[in-house]
Amino acid sequence: MEKITSRKNRIITHLRAAASDRAYREGCREFICDGEKTLREALEYKARIKCVLWKEKEGDIQLPEDVQQYCAPSELFEYASPLKSSAGPAFTVQMPDRDAERRIERAIVLENLQDPGNVGTVIRTANAFDIDAVILVGACADLYNPKTVRASMGAIFRQSVLETDIRGLEALMERHRLPLFGAALSDRAEDLRNVELHRSAVAIGSEGRGLSRELLNICGGEIIIPMSPDSESLNAAVAASVIMWEMSR
């Protein structure tokens, strides 16, 4: 195993770029993860691990022979890792091919949800409730931002996530013959408890602006989560969780 001692080493620069630069991630088709628990989950779900940087010394996790392994002193590891005060390791994973053809019975659609923690939380919750797909539309947070990956708590390796635009979403709904509902604060919105959601897709917008008119125009209906009159709205990830629970019941 190579011991790295310089900030200019290609692996250090690779990890830092993978953590901070979306264009770089997309160019090399790799994203960065952190921690032994996440590494074990990546192995369990057959993610293709590309390189691993250990802190101080090699860990006791058995890795495939083709995985490049390195170690670095604590200070240098901290420089490379996307997570402050991490115990390590930091590692990169090849981005998987996303299968838009697999059968979708239930989906949650996120439009312009820009907080990576919220996007990762929705992915984690969708996996817990057996939602077939999370579909990202518009200016959503990068699926492979380290904060998104961390918030998913390993679900990034298990949950189907698709990225498309509104026209692509409409085509996807038609292909799977799936009714699409928009979560909206409007007079037309029905109480979600009164709507059949078990086989459907539901779209949720950003907390500030909600769903765009263009997306609402392709929805077959609108739904609302009943709340106390004193409460104006929910965090987008919380709203998605409530809806996915209702979809899975």
Side-chain angles (χ1 to χ4, degrees):
M1 178 185 297
E2 179 183 343
K3 184 171 184 178
I4 298 174
T5 57
S6 170
R7 290 189 174 193
K8 295 181 180 181
N9 181 279
R10 64 180 182 85
I11 296 301
I12 301 299
T13 58
H14 174 58
L15 292 175
R16 282 180 60 83
S20 62
D21 189 336
R22 180 173 187 169
Y24 182 85
R25 285 193 292 271
E26 292 175 349
C28 67
R29 300 292 298 163
E30 291 180 42
F31 63 100
I32 191 167
C33 305
D34 196 286
E36 287 195 7
K37 180 178 181 297
T38 307
L39 179 57
R40 292 182 192 279
E41 289 193 84
L43 289 168
E44 180 180 355
Y45 291 96
K46 311 301 182 187
R48 187 175 177 190
I49 300 164
K50 301 293 290 183
C51 71
V52 178
L53 179 67
W54 298 96
K55 188 175 186 178
E56 299 288 358
K57 61 181 181 178
E58 183 180 357
D60 60 358
I61 299 175
Q62 187 68 37
L63 296 171
E65 290 184 3
D66 63 342
V67 176
Q68 306 169 56
Q69 297 190 66
Y70 308 88
C71 65
S74 180
E75 182 180 350
L76 185 54
F77 179 89
E78 295 282 353
Y79 175 75
S81 172
L83 184 63
K84 187 176 181 180
S85 302
S86 167
F91 61 98
T92 62
V93 178
Q94 183 172 305
M95 294 180 183
D97 294 327
R98 299 292 174 178
D99 183 8
E101 299 302 320
R102 64 177 291 177
R103 189 63 189 161
I104 300 174
E105 297 285 337
R106 293 193 296 270
I108 196 79
V109 179
L110 305 178
E111 184 191 31
N112 300 328
L113 197 60
Q114 296 180 339
D115 183 273
N118 279 340
V119 173
T121 298
V122 171
I123 292 169
R124 177 184 181 184
T125 308
N127 186 248
F129 289 151
D130 291 324
I131 302 301
D132 296 315
V134 175
I135 304 172
L136 307 182
V137 176
C140 283
D142 178 14
L143 175 59
Y144 296 114
N145 181 302
K147 293 180 180 178
T148 309
V149 174
R150 197 175 309 127
S152 80
M153 293 296 288
I156 195 77
F157 306 123
R158 305 186 297 270
Q159 176 63 43
S160 174
V161 183
L162 304 175
E163 297 178 271
T164 188
D165 56 18
I166 291 177
R167 297 279 73 80
L169 175 64
E170 186 175 27
L172 196 63
M173 296 299 99
E174 291 177 357
R175 186 184 316 145
H176 294 279
R177 299 180 180 178
L178 209 59
L180 175 64
F181 297 94
L185 296 171
S186 74
D187 295 337
R188 299 183 299 278
E190 295 183 69
D191 186 321
L192 84 165
R193 296 170 297 183
N194 300 327
V195 180
E196 175 52 60
L197 296 178
H198 186 68
R199 186 184 179 281
S200 68
V202 179
I204 294 173
S206 66
E207 292 171 38
R209 297 187 177 183
L211 292 170
S212 68
R213 174 49 52 190
E214 187 181 4
L215 197 149
L216 282 171
N217 284 343
I218 68 170
C219 291
E222 297 177 15
I223 62 171
I224 191 170
I225 299 170
M227 293 182 290
S228 164
D230 296 332
S231 179
E232 182 179 325
S233 65
L234 291 172
N235 167 276
V238 172
S241 299
V242 172
I243 290 168
M244 288 187 285
W245 163 251
E246 194 67 24
M247 293 169 76
S248 68
R249 284 201 309 125

